[in-house]
Amino acid sequence: MQIGRVEFSAGAVYNYSSIKRLTGFGYANHNNVNNGTPLRVAAATSGDKIVFRALLEKNSVKYVQYSTYSLSAVNNALSNSASSYISFASDSTLQGAHLSTVYTTLASSVRPRASFQGIEASPSSIYIAGGVETDAYPRIASISMTNGSFIGGVEIRGYVNQNGITVSCANKEIEGLYRTSDKIYFGIVTSISNIVIVSVNVSDF
C-alpha cells in the first residue's frame, strides 16, 4: 500500500513512476515496529499535521492505526529522496517527524455505521465518515488525535436541495470529508452517477 504526493493541476496527466510515494505504513507509529500488513490506507492534513489511517492485519486480527506526522517534514523527506518512494520502516526523517499514534483493534475502533468512507483532520481531532446505502443514515464521528477517544458525532438525516426541498439521506452512501474553519463538507451519493455536496457545522460535534 502506498500514498503518493501530487501537485494538483487541472487536466494534468502524470506518469505513475514520477510520483513520490510513502510506503511501509505498518511501521508508521511511535515505536517504529510493524503493527501489521496494510490492507487500506488514507490520509488527511490540517495545518502542519498529516494523519495517516491504516487498516492493518496481524495474526488474522484487523487493526486500525492513526498516525500523525509533521507535514513539512514528510514533504521534505519526499522532496529530498532520490527514490520514487520512501518507507516508514527505514527512513530516519519520517521516523523523526512522528507526533502521535492511535492503535486499536478494528472491532473496538470508532467507526460510524461500522464502515469507513472518508477522513479529515483538525489541529487536535480526526473526523471519520461512515455509512453505505444499506444503512439507515450516514454518520460522521470526531475522535481525539492523540488517544482516539470519541469526541462527538453527527447523523446526516437529510439536506435542503437547490429548490428548497428537504431530501432524506436514508439509505444513502456518504463519501469523503473536507473541513473549513466552521463547516465540514461531504458527498451524499444520490444515484450511481450523482453526488450532492452537503455540509454540517463544526460546532455540531
Side-chain angles (χ1 to χ4, degrees):
M1 292 288 172
Q2 302 173 349
I3 289 180
R5 183 188 66 180
V6 177
E7 183 176 356
F8 175 76
S9 177
V13 177
Y14 296 92
N15 184 318
Y16 174 79
S17 63
S18 69
I19 297 174
K20 294 290 186 76
R21 287 156 280 159
L22 299 166
T23 188
F25 287 94
Y27 291 87
N29 54 74
H30 57 281
N31 292 321
N32 195 227
V33 297
N34 187 8
N35 278 338
T37 301
L39 303 177
R40 183 180 180 183
V41 292
T45 63
S46 177
D48 191 42
K49 292 180 179 179
I50 182 167
V51 179
F52 301 102
R53 180 193 187 270
L55 175 62
L56 307 171
E57 186 171 37
K58 190 172 187 177
N59 299 324
S60 300
V61 178
K62 289 184 173 64
Y63 297 86
V64 174
Q65 177 178 268
Y66 292 99
S67 310
T68 304
Y69 283 76
S70 162
L71 177 59
S72 57
V74 170
N75 272 326
N76 287 338
L78 286 167
S79 298
N80 295 330
S81 174
S83 173
S84 60
Y85 65 91
I86 55 176
S87 175
F88 287 96
S90 56
D91 189 273
S92 58
T93 302
L94 287 181
Q95 293 165 4
H98 175 267
L99 299 174
S100 64
T101 298
V102 175
Y103 179 66
T104 182
T105 62
L106 178 65
S108 61
S109 66
V110 176
R111 288 185 303 147
R113 294 298 186 195
S115 70
F116 173 71
Q117 302 297 119
I119 183 173
E120 180 60 301
S122 76
S124 61
S125 59
I126 300 168
Y127 296 89
I128 309 152
V132 296
E133 61 186 13
T134 56
D135 293 320
Y137 297 101
R139 291 174 176 172
I140 303 170
S142 175
I143 64 173
S144 166
M145 188 178 284
T146 55
N147 60 30
S149 61
F150 178 77
I151 296 173
V154 174
E155 184 169 81
I156 314 302
R157 301 188 69 87
Y159 63 93
V160 178
N161 68 14
Q162 65 269 30
N163 298 316
I165 299 172
T166 299
V167 180
S168 173
C169 287
N171 305 119
K172 296 292 191 293
E173 184 174 359
I174 188 171
E175 285 288 353
L177 291 173
Y178 176 75
R179 184 186 187 275
T180 63
S181 60
D182 60 345
K183 298 283 188 181
I184 294 181
Y185 294 86
F186 49 91
I188 294 294
V189 181
T190 59
S191 70
I192 194 169
S193 60
N194 191 58
I195 295 180
V196 176
I197 304 301
V198 184
S199 69
V200 295
N201 297 321
V202 169
S203 60
D204 292 337
F205 290 85

